[in-house]
Amino acid sequence: MSVQSSIDDTTAAIVAALSAHDLSASERQQISEIVGQLLVKTVEKTTDSHLETAASCCGPELDLAHQIRAEMNRQKEILISNLKALR
């Protein structure tokens, strides 16, 4: 499942939960943006947690930990850029 389809599915579920209210296209777009922002924050927090774990597990191999951290940061930035492009 793509990120955009996850956002769309989540937005649809929220809109369905609020079906008693007649939401405008602007309000639906706002919900979609909120979901997208939540995904970005989740990715950032998860990556930070993984980076800390990698650094603590590779104590004697600090150079390896730095290489892992650099690659994880690069991948995180790519993912966040893609998420932001969906807005």
Side-chain angles (χ1 to χ4, degrees):
M1 178 179 283
S2 73
V3 172
Q4 184 60 51
S5 64
S6 293
I7 291 171
D8 293 342
D9 291 348
T10 304
T11 300
I14 292 169
V15 169
L18 298 173
S19 62
H21 307 286
D22 189 24
L23 298 176
S24 68
S26 173
E27 290 169 324
R28 290 173 191 224
Q29 178 61 32
Q30 193 174 17
I31 291 170
S32 183
E33 288 175 9
I34 291 167
V35 171
Q37 291 168 1
L38 174 62
L39 284 174
V40 169
K41 287 178 185 177
T42 301
V43 166
E44 289 175 335
K45 287 182 180 183
T46 301
T47 302
D48 289 345
S49 173
H50 292 168
L51 289 172
E52 288 177 26
T53 301
S56 67
C57 290
C58 299
E61 300 291 335
L62 197 53
D63 188 46
L64 178 60
H66 288 303
Q67 291 175 6
I68 292 169
R69 175 175 280 177
E71 179 62 19
M72 289 176 74
N73 278 328
R74 189 178 75 75
Q75 293 294 326
K76 176 182 84 171
E77 292 305 318
I78 290 169
L79 179 58
I80 289 174
S81 294
N82 290 337
L83 287 170
K84 288 182 178 179
L86 296 174
R87 293 183 191 168

